[in-house]
Amino acid sequence: MTSKGHRRLLSIARPAEWSYRPAGLTYEIDLEDVQGFRWYYRMEGRYSIAIDQLSFARDFMLQSKVESLYTIVLYVTVSGDEFFPYRSLASDSITLYAPDTPFKVIYHHNMELYALTINICASFVENFLQERYPALAEAIQTAFARGPRHRFDLIRPLMYDILQCDKSAEVSALLFEARILEILSRITSAQETLAISDTAAERVTIKPEDVTALTEIAEYISDHYNRQILLKTLSSISLMSESKLKTLFKAQYGMTITEYIQKKRMSSAELLLISTDLPLAQISKIVGYANPSRFSELFRKYYGIAPSIYRAGK
């Protein structure tokens, strides 16, 4: 959540009579549309950390612009949509925001928002780069500008370390600083590696006729995602070899064919859970999984919680 987003929520919050963490401040939010708490910690001129645990009576929109801050958000649990560019928010995901980028998100009321947000001052990042990675100043800017496209799983354990820290104020301050510096190091190193792979990816040229074929494949999957789809079938439809199809599909859609099918199935399952009372076993079959346990496993992977719990919170 961006700096303005923080200020908007803090403007409707009041100091809590209890403390969520020994360090920082805890605020309670008890309004008709929003209830929960926010924990907030700030190091002036360096960074701020916030933990939000909120429930919404109806869909809730936050819209602002990141101001001279590098922002990292860990969504532990979330249901919603983000814009600029559009994507569906997923639980247990990490998103990066570069300075001066627009921020607009709608949180859905069917699931509690539990998120960790780190806002890092641009001047702090610049000093960090000058001291440790003087030759890679553009790498971290590129990494944040890529937004949700790359999730940088290497920083996930560090984010959870910050989220779960309940030490004294003095110990917390040391841990926060160390973890944030390590997060910046890992993002910079990861982006350097991605730059190498991107250079190779840029050499993949997709001809107009192949784009048309890939579009037909995507439409075929959308119509048949709940059935068994064989790679050789898609290869025949596209008039491409299986190897070429896999390479071009990932270059075009940013994910493998299997990931694309699973995403379609999970989106359909989410809609059925929210809008119907069908048993989970039946929903599992409808979206293409004969084994309900496998369906639940994949749903938990995508949304962070079991489908039964997701439905209960709708």
Side-chain angles (χ1 to χ4, degrees), residues 1 15 31 82 88 132 155 171 175 205-206 214 243 291 301:
M1 197 174 299
L31 300 176
E82 184 178 32
S88 177
R132 301 197 184 188
I155 71 173
V171 174
L175 182 142
T205 302
I206 305 178
L214 291 170
S243 176
N291 186 338
K301 176 182 176 182

Side-chain angles (χ1 to χ4, degrees), residues 196-214:
I196 296 173
S197 62
D198 282 352
T199 300
E202 288 171 359
R203 293 197 292 266
V204 177
T205 302
I206 305 178
K207 299 177 181 179
E209 58 268 28
D210 289 334
V211 172
T212 300
L214 291 170

Side-chain angles (χ1 to χ4, degrees), residues 22-90:
L25 299 173
T26 305
Y27 298 86
E28 284 188 275
I29 300 173
D30 186 11
L31 300 176
E32 181 179 354
D33 293 344
V34 188
Q35 291 186 329
F37 74 84
R38 151 162 294 193
W39 174 86
Y40 189 72
Y41 178 90
R42 183 180 182 185
M43 286 292 288
E44 184 68 33
R46 299 171 78 82
Y47 55 82
S48 66
I49 304 170
I51 297 174
D52 293 298
Q53 195 160 356
L54 305 170
S55 58
F56 307 102
R58 54 183 59 86
D59 288 359
F60 185 81
M61 177 186 291
L62 279 177
Q63 182 173 359
S64 62
K65 189 175 184 179
V66 179
E67 299 175 333
S68 301
L69 296 169
Y70 288 88
T71 299
I72 310 169
V73 182
L74 166 65
Y75 288 110
V76 182
T77 59
V78 67
S79 177
D81 300 289
E82 184 178 32
F83 304 87
F84 313 128
Y86 172 80
R87 71 171 181 128
S88 177
L89 294 175

Side-chain angles (χ1 to χ4, degrees), residues 19-295:
S19 178
Y20 179 70
R21 294 281 193 272
L25 299 173
T26 305
Y27 298 86
E28 284 188 275
I29 300 173
D30 186 11
L31 300 176
E32 181 179 354
D33 293 344
V34 188
Q35 291 186 329
F37 74 84
R38 151 162 294 193
W39 174 86
Y40 189 72
Y41 178 90
R42 183 180 182 185
M43 286 292 288
E44 184 68 33
R46 299 171 78 82
Y47 55 82
S48 66
I49 304 170
I51 297 174
D52 293 298
Q53 195 160 356
L54 305 170
S55 58
F56 307 102
R58 54 183 59 86
D59 288 359
F60 185 81
M61 177 186 291
L62 279 177
Q63 182 173 359
S64 62
K65 189 175 184 179
V66 179
E67 299 175 333
S68 301
L69 296 169
Y70 288 88
T71 299
I72 310 169
V73 182
L74 166 65
Y75 288 110
V76 182
T77 59
V78 67
S79 177
D81 300 289
E82 184 178 32
F83 304 87
F84 313 128
Y86 172 80
R87 71 171 181 128
S88 177
L89 294 175
S91 297
D92 193 32
S93 66
I94 294 173
T95 300
L96 311 182
Y97 300 94
D100 303 317
T101 57
F103 174 88
K104 182 178 181 180
V105 62
I106 296 176
Y107 296 117
H108 296 164
H109 66 278
N110 60 299
M111 183 185 291
E112 180 182 76
L113 170 68
Y114 185 26
L116 166 70
T117 302
I118 301 175
N119 286 311
I120 310 173
C121 296
S123 58
F124 181 74
V125 175
E126 291 168 3
N127 291 334
F128 162 81
L129 291 171
Q130 290 174 3
E131 292 177 4
R132 301 197 184 188
Y133 301 94
L136 298 176
E138 293 184 3
I140 200 164
Q141 296 172 9
T142 302
F144 277 83
R146 297 169 82 100
R149 184 179 163 199
H150 295 284
R151 298 187 178 180
F152 295 101
D153 288 340
L154 286 175
I155 71 173
R156 179 175 279 104
L158 302 174
M159 297 289 286
Y160 274 102
D161 281 350
I162 294 174
L163 178 70
Q164 297 165 357
C165 177
D166 59 356
K167 307 297 183 183
S168 67
E170 294 78 9
V171 174
S172 294
L174 294 173
L175 182 142
F176 294 156
E177 182 100 357
R179 293 297 184 270
I180 288 174
L181 290 174
E182 180 62 21
I183 285 170
L184 292 175
S185 293
R186 293 191 182 187
I187 290 175
T188 304
S189 299
Q191 178 55 37
E192 185 181 19
T193 302
L194 282 170
I196 296 173
S197 62
D198 282 352
T199 300
E202 288 171 359
R203 293 197 292 266
V204 177
T205 302
I206 305 178
K207 299 177 181 179
E209 58 268 28
D210 289 334
V211 172
T212 300
L214 291 170
T215 301
E216 291 177 352
I217 291 299
E219 291 176 352
Y220 179 88
I221 292 174
S222 295
D223 291 338
H224 301 85
Y225 68 88
N226 58 347
R227 305 177 187 177
Q228 183 181 21
I229 300 177
L230 300 177
L231 182 59
K232 64 179 181 180
T233 301
L234 300 180
S235 176
S236 298
I237 294 172
S238 64
L239 300 179
M240 299 182 196
S241 68
E242 294 182 5
S243 176
K244 178 181 178 180
L245 174 59
K246 289 192 293 184
T247 298
L248 294 189
F249 190 94
K250 187 169 184 179
Q252 179 75 358
Y253 293 100
M255 65 186 78
T256 66
I257 293 172
T258 298
E259 290 169 341
Y260 192 87
I261 294 171
Q262 288 180 348
K263 184 177 180 181
K264 289 289 184 182
R265 290 178 172 181
M266 291 302 107
S267 295
S268 179
E270 180 187 20
L271 179 61
L272 290 171
L273 286 168
I274 294 173
S275 60
T276 76
D277 294 321
L278 293 173
L280 295 183
Q282 188 172 349
I283 291 177
S284 174
K285 289 182 179 180
I286 289 173
V287 300
Y289 295 103
N291 186 338
S293 296
R294 175 60 175 165
F295 162 67

